[in-house]
Amino acid sequence: MERAKHTVYLDHAATTAVDPRVVEAMLPYWKEHYGNASSIYGLGRDAHRALDQARQKAADILNCAPKEIIFTSCGSESDNLALRGVAFERQKRLKKNHIITSPIEHHAIVHTVEQLEKYFGFEVSTVPVNHFGMVDPADVERAIRPDTAIISIMFANNEVGTVQPIAQIGEIARAHKIPFHTDAVQAGGAIALDVKAENVDLLSLSAHKFYGPKGVGLLYARRGVPLLPTQTGGGHEYSRRAGTENVPYIVGLATALELATQEMKASNARIIQLRDRLISGVLEGIPESQLTGHPTQRLPNNASFLFRYIEGESILLNLDLAGVAASSGSACTSGSLEPSHVLSAMGFSHEVAHGSLRLSLGKENTMEEIEYVLEILPGIVEKLRQMSPLRTPA
Ligand code: PLP
């Protein structure tokens, strides 16, 4: 087996390289148009114009008004602003103390909800997911109480790629007049997001998942949805998020979102072809392997697996030696012995959940790279299984 001459990057769910066209669009806002967007002289007005244009672009793509877009520093901030902003406001004004969420959210939601519960007097209902990681909208409806402050269910899962029935959940939330937030960080750039069609009141995005820069995100907050700013100071972002706007990054986000939207159809068609070859190749070539996440309602770029008897982390190290960058849902990678909360919520035992591998594809991947992975992965899995104390010899 020959080592790949370059890194075969299959971790696009973690982050993406910045598209050179995005870099090009950002550069002038460091070099020539470096003004503070709040300043009244020419340089400031240039920056402010760029900000307005970026806001308009994002709003056009998401099908909302520009004033409903709040630029943030990342997806985690957008999630925090949505949850805390709505929960605190409705708690104070209406005595609403209840939050509904799912057990497979990103930690930006999970840990925020935990904190709201532990320190701020909220009660939390976590609706179940099935074996594919899918939420049943009927369960969301059943969890609604008179004091529900907010519902937050992610659009698409970062580990297993399952895409939720967001429009249906949104319809239920709206019928009960409860603000509905969706963390669409993984869906951004991969799925056409229309906030009206999806019936969402708040939606989080992060640029670095769709070939934009790291450290910039946005929150769509529907007009009329009460939102207490979590970061106070100046009147930036229509007084909903204080802090001098990072104009180059915001321009980068809007450009990346525009390119991803324009190229989505063609890009997804290519990526799905690669993904499906990868999935069938792995399942056919490796015994006791299985796909995780929903078989059809999944992100175009997500191929995630479980391999019995072995640790995801060991697979990653071996893949790295062979020049392949991938990820595991197993939290062992972050120094904890706990398996992925996502796989556990989907009903996989700890032992099984430890053997997870996520391969997330992107627009620069080629069929040659996929064939290379299919050539090396069975050998890596077999080698690790031979050393595994969990496997009883045949
Ligand atoms: N939500 C989801 C579903 C994610 O996958 C991520 C990042 O991986 C985040 C939120 C956090 O985004 P950021 O890294 O921009 O803070």
Short mmCIF file of all heavy atoms in Angstrom, two decimals, residues 51 64 129 131 147 160 179 289 342 344 378:
data_model
loop_
_atom_site.label_atom_id
_atom_site.label_comp_id
_atom_site.label_asym_id
_atom_site.label_seq_id
_atom_site.Cartn_x
_atom_site.Cartn_y
_atom_site.Cartn_z
N LEU A 51 -20.45 45.75 5.25
CA LEU A 51 -21.25 45.06 6.25
C LEU A 51 -22.70 44.94 5.77
O LEU A 51 -23.32 43.86 5.85
CB LEU A 51 -21.19 45.89 7.54
CG LEU A 51 -21.43 45.23 8.87
CD1 LEU A 51 -20.53 44.03 9.07
CD2 LEU A 51 -21.17 46.27 9.99
N CYS A 64 -34.74 36.10 4.46
CA CYS A 64 -35.21 36.92 5.58
C CYS A 64 -34.82 38.37 5.34
O CYS A 64 -34.23 38.70 4.31
CB CYS A 64 -34.61 36.41 6.90
SG CYS A 64 -32.83 36.56 6.99
N VAL A 129 -34.25 10.28 20.46
CA VAL A 129 -34.01 10.07 19.02
C VAL A 129 -34.07 8.57 18.78
O VAL A 129 -33.85 7.78 19.71
CB VAL A 129 -32.65 10.62 18.55
CG1 VAL A 129 -32.61 12.13 18.61
CG2 VAL A 129 -31.48 10.01 19.34
N HIS A 131 -32.91 5.01 16.44
CA HIS A 131 -31.61 4.39 16.17
C HIS A 131 -30.84 5.10 15.04
O HIS A 131 -29.64 4.96 14.89
CB HIS A 131 -31.84 2.91 15.81
CG HIS A 131 -30.70 2.03 16.21
ND1 HIS A 131 -30.11 2.07 17.47
CD2 HIS A 131 -30.02 1.07 15.53
CE1 HIS A 131 -29.12 1.19 17.53
NE2 HIS A 131 -29.05 0.57 16.37
N ASP A 147 -45.22 26.51 30.21
CA ASP A 147 -44.08 27.39 30.53
C ASP A 147 -42.86 27.13 29.64
O ASP A 147 -41.75 27.48 30.00
CB ASP A 147 -43.70 27.23 32.02
CG ASP A 147 -43.21 25.83 32.35
OD1 ASP A 147 -43.51 24.89 31.58
OD2 ASP A 147 -42.51 25.66 33.38
N VAL A 160 -23.18 12.00 12.94
CA VAL A 160 -23.75 10.95 12.09
C VAL A 160 -24.50 11.51 10.88
O VAL A 160 -24.94 10.74 10.02
CB VAL A 160 -24.67 10.00 12.90
CG1 VAL A 160 -23.88 9.29 13.98
CG2 VAL A 160 -25.85 10.74 13.51
N PRO A 179 -40.81 30.12 20.58
CA PRO A 179 -39.67 30.35 19.69
C PRO A 179 -38.90 29.05 19.43
O PRO A 179 -38.65 28.27 20.35
CB PRO A 179 -38.81 31.35 20.47
CG PRO A 179 -39.76 32.03 21.40
CD PRO A 179 -40.78 30.99 21.76
N SER A 289 -19.15 -4.12 10.23
CA SER A 289 -19.14 -2.66 10.19
C SER A 289 -20.57 -2.22 9.93
O SER A 289 -21.36 -2.96 9.35
CB SER A 289 -18.22 -2.16 9.07
OG SER A 289 -18.67 -2.64 7.81
N VAL A 342 -23.92 11.27 21.31
CA VAL A 342 -24.83 11.11 20.17
C VAL A 342 -25.13 9.62 19.95
O VAL A 342 -26.29 9.20 19.90
CB VAL A 342 -24.21 11.74 18.90
CG1 VAL A 342 -25.07 11.44 17.68
CG2 VAL A 342 -24.00 13.22 19.09
N SER A 344 -24.64 7.18 22.03
CA SER A 344 -25.31 6.63 23.21
C SER A 344 -26.81 6.92 23.13
O SER A 344 -27.63 6.03 23.38
CB SER A 344 -24.75 7.22 24.50
OG SER A 344 -23.40 6.87 24.62
N PRO A 378 -9.66 -1.49 5.39
CA PRO A 378 -9.91 -2.86 5.86
C PRO A 378 -8.68 -3.44 6.59
O PRO A 378 -8.84 -4.10 7.63
CB PRO A 378 -10.20 -3.64 4.57
CG PRO A 378 -10.71 -2.60 3.62
CD PRO A 378 -9.94 -1.36 3.94
#
